[in-house]
Amino acid sequence: MSDQKIDAIIHVLDDLLNEEDILATMVKSSGVPPIAPPTTRFKIKNFAIWQLINSSVDQSLGLVDAFYNAGADKLYLEIAEYEIVFFVIDRSTVLIAVIPALANKGLLEIELENARRELRGHFRR
Amino acid sequence: MTHEGCFGRGAVLVLINDDASDVAVGYGKDVKRDPGMAARHCAKLLSLGLKNSKRPKTLVFEFVSGPTVPKFPFLTQKRIIRNRLIGKLFALGAGLFLRYFQKGVGREEELLEELEKQLPNSTIIGGSTLDANNLISNYQFLNRQVFTNSVVALALKTDHMFHTGSGFCQSETPVKFRITEKIGNGRIITKLDGKPAAQEFLKRSGWSDSDLNERLYRKTFHRTLGFKHNGRLYPEVIGAIYGEGIWLGYRVEGDELVLLTTSGRRLVESVNNTLSAFSGLENNFGFIISCASRMETLGKSVYLSQRNISLFFKDKPFLLLWMGGEDIASEQMPRHHANYCFNALVFN
């Protein structure tokens, strides 16, 4: 993947972090390192959760792959005071965001959907 | 929401070049303290601005400060506090907070009533401004001015034809409650069927205490309360539960509440049903006010509605705003301020 494309993806993720309730975000494709804005931009207080996501994200890709042909679209995982949202970009790529468990998810979903559409454009190019 | 997509932040701009309308703007301040006075001031500015216009129809777009969750000293802004003593204190303090700090319910129904009285034979469409559905603060903009706790409006005297429509997605269940005690000008329900209101609502809705949390709007969307008035159903957003008091979005008329139910599918269908009233007409521009709770409930699936609305308007523009309360008053639609609604105005 070219540096230009990575920069464009980071730009989309960084813009998502302007949402008060998007605490951390990344894009992960199987077989390649995650793409994420600098962690200094993250608002997540329990960083151990983020490290846990980082270390286990390949397993979520396995789940997406298993259900992809059935129309897998998004996954929610509630952990303590956080929710981890996985928006499927394609069979081997997910957009991941960490939000507070009690956030207004509807509004955030719209922003995540807009980001997903933009990211799909970058991955297809 | 526009043809271009759905947006939870940023700005959407509509530019209209029109030789068949005259335009005026107005505002009224301190809506939460005195909605009647704010409506009269706003209506006066609109009437003055249009006094020389000879065009036959009057159309008013109004945007009013919506409800805000009061912040009480030493307590965070919360929607659910089950402590009965705190609940009673909140209920007692609500009027004072509204009057002196202008925090609390929006009193939009009172404003709309007065606005209609001041601007007879007008079509009015609008709603309650809000933030990211947190009900912490909201702002109103007019030319270069920024307001809080105010109403801003744009009025047109126009030669254009337009029609209005309104829909919601809730339906009545057999569960009915008799209100035996309400305070705060009919907006805080403290007793239902002679029992503490919150407890009775939870019990007869089939919910436990633990089902309710700060995600109140999202949770109660599928099972909320409403009332019937003049043959129309008025769905209410449950704004907060403090102690045994259920704080509703606007004043309840009468003494009966009914438990309402809905589903995501019906929510999408209600949009199609409302728009079907305009089919067969040449629709040139659509202006739609939709309850933010509908968006909050659908989440990214709001794009299903966007696709349907976009297909309906084809190459003609439309603008849908998500608001905290929906107002409409027209020849076709008697005055109505409610929640969970989908109100549309279409220029033909």
Side-chain angles (χ1 to χ4, degrees):
Chain A
M1 192 179 287
S2 69
D3 286 352
Q4 200 180 2
K5 194 177 265 193
I6 290 171
D7 285 347
I9 291 166
I10 288 175
H11 179 75
V12 174
L13 299 176
D14 194 64
D15 184 47
L16 272 179
L17 289 169
N18 289 326
E19 277 288 341
E20 189 184 349
D21 278 343
I22 294 186
L23 307 177
T25 183
M26 71 154 102
V27 163
K28 178 72 174 85
S29 294
S30 59
V32 294
I35 301 171
T39 51
T40 49
R41 289 272 291 140
F42 291 177
K43 291 160 273 180
I44 188 166
K45 285 182 186 153
N46 185 349
F47 222 77
I49 294 280
W50 183 248
Q51 284 163 337
L52 190 62
I53 295 165
N54 253 317
S55 63
S56 58
V57 67
D58 279 323
Q59 289 163 42
S60 73
L61 285 168
L63 203 60
V64 168
D65 184 57
F67 288 96
Y68 189 77
N69 286 341
D73 184 67
K74 64 177 177 181
L75 303 170
Y76 271 100
L77 183 62
E78 198 164 329
I79 305 173
E81 71 268 41
Y82 299 109
E83 279 198 54
I84 322 299
V85 193
F86 301 80
F87 266 50
V88 177
I89 292 174
D90 61 35
R91 185 168 205 136
S92 58
T93 311
V94 285
L95 161 65
I96 300 169
V98 182
I99 65 174
L102 292 176
N104 289 330
K105 279 196 291 192
L107 191 89
L108 297 178
E109 272 202 11
I110 292 173
E111 292 307 320
L112 288 167
E113 176 63 22
N114 289 339
R116 168 161 67 177
R117 288 173 181 218
E118 210 173 327
L119 290 167
R120 272 185 178 146
H122 291 309
F123 276 93
R124 279 179 191 147
R125 267 175 224 142
Chain B
M1 179 196 293
T2 66
H3 276 299
E4 285 70 36
C6 306
F7 311 99
R9 60 193 163 127
V12 179
L13 186 68
V14 178
L15 291 174
I16 298 175
N17 183 359
D18 178 19
D19 293 329
S21 302
D22 300 312
V23 181
V25 291
Y27 68 91
K29 292 183 179 177
D30 296 329
V31 171
K32 288 184 178 63
R33 184 174 296 149
D34 191 342
M37 190 186 71
R40 285 190 292 278
H41 187 263
C42 183
K44 191 176 165 188
L45 291 173
L46 297 177
S47 300
L48 272 173
L50 294 171
K51 69 177 179 185
N52 295 323
S53 178
K54 300 280 186 277
R55 300 186 195 278
K57 298 190 192 82
T58 311
L59 174 58
V60 179
F61 300 92
E62 51 88 12
F63 303 98
V64 58
S65 174
T68 46
V69 178
K71 188 173 184 185
F72 293 91
F74 313 112
L75 290 165
T76 53
Q77 280 169 303
K78 286 193 162 190
R79 294 179 189 94
I80 304 280
I81 297 176
R82 296 309 311 276
N83 183 296
R84 287 185 183 199
L85 183 63
I86 292 176
K88 276 191 178 165
L89 285 172
F90 276 21
L92 287 171
L96 287 174
F97 259 79
L98 202 57
R99 179 170 289 274
Y100 294 105
F101 299 104
Q102 303 220 49
K103 292 276 183 187
V105 292
R107 303 183 74 181
E108 304 97 321
E109 72 278 25
E110 295 175 65
L111 179 120
L112 181 64
E113 188 177 347
E114 186 64 25
L115 207 55
E116 190 192 37
K117 201 187 291 179
Q118 298 294 321
L119 300 166
N121 306 315
S122 301
T123 291
I124 303 172
I125 186 165
S128 315
T129 54
L130 80 168
D131 49 21
N133 224 358
N134 295 319
L135 305 194
I136 304 296
S137 57
N138 57 68
Y139 301 91
Q140 301 76 48
F141 303 90
L142 183 83
N143 295 333
R144 290 174 182 272
Q145 292 171 283
V146 182
F147 299 107
T148 58
N149 296 321
S150 302
V151 57
V152 296
L154 182 146
L156 299 179
K157 278 274 200 183
T158 181
D159 298 333
H160 290 295
M161 288 278 291
F162 51 81
H163 290 85
T164 53
S166 179
F168 52 84
C169 52
Q170 276 86 4
S171 61
E172 295 177 58
T173 68
V175 181
K176 290 187 168 51
F177 304 90
R178 187 168 169 74
I179 301 169
T180 43
E181 188 179 278
K182 58 182 174 182
I183 56 173
N185 202 13
R187 297 180 180 92
I188 305 171
I189 311 301
T190 46
K191 283 200 174 152
L192 292 170
D193 295 312
K195 295 170 189 156
Q199 201 180 329
E200 188 66 5
F201 166 67
L202 290 175
K203 186 176 136 197
R204 292 182 56 198
S205 306
W207 285 6
S208 68
D209 263 22
S210 59
D211 284 331
L212 282 190
N213 57 30
E214 291 298 306
R215 216 186 280 156
L216 187 65
Y217 314 123
R218 192 179 170 91
K219 291 213 168 200
T220 54
F221 182 87
H222 298 278
R223 273 191 173 258
T224 191
L225 292 167
F227 63 91
K228 272 188 140 171
H229 182 58
N230 290 338
R232 293 186 75 180
L233 190 63
Y234 286 72
E236 289 263 16
V237 159
I238 298 175
I241 292 182
Y242 295 144
E244 284 304 335
I246 301 174
W247 293 44
L248 299 174
Y250 56 95
R251 186 176 59 205
V252 176
E253 304 289 348
D255 58 5
E256 189 177 87
L257 284 171
V258 59
L259 188 67
L260 305 175
T261 184
T262 192
S263 67
R265 180 188 293 274
R266 279 168 51 186
L267 205 155
V268 174
E269 282 171 359
S270 71
V271 171
N272 300 344
N273 292 341
T274 306
L275 291 178
S276 68
F278 306 111
S279 55
L281 301 167
E282 190 189 333
N283 301 310
N284 293 318
F285 172 60
F287 179 78
I288 301 164
I289 301 289
S290 177
C291 186
S293 294
R294 298 166 73 101
M295 173 269 285
E296 192 55 56
T297 302
L298 282 174
K300 73 169 192 63
S301 299
V302 82
Y303 268 100
L304 292 172
S305 280
Q306 192 264 354
R307 192 181 60 192
N308 292 342
I309 299 170
S310 207
L311 284 170
F312 179 84
F313 283 101
K314 299 190 180 88
D315 58 335
K316 304 295 185 189
F318 76 90
L319 174 68
L320 181 151
L321 301 176
W322 286 297
M323 307 208 77
E326 302 76 59
D327 298 340
I328 197 158
S330 72
E331 209 176 314
Q332 298 127 335
M333 293 282 146
R335 174 170 42 82
H336 193 252
H337 167 84
N339 299 129
Y340 298 124
C341 292
F342 180 88
N343 293 340
L345 177 131
V346 178
F347 283 88
N348 310 113

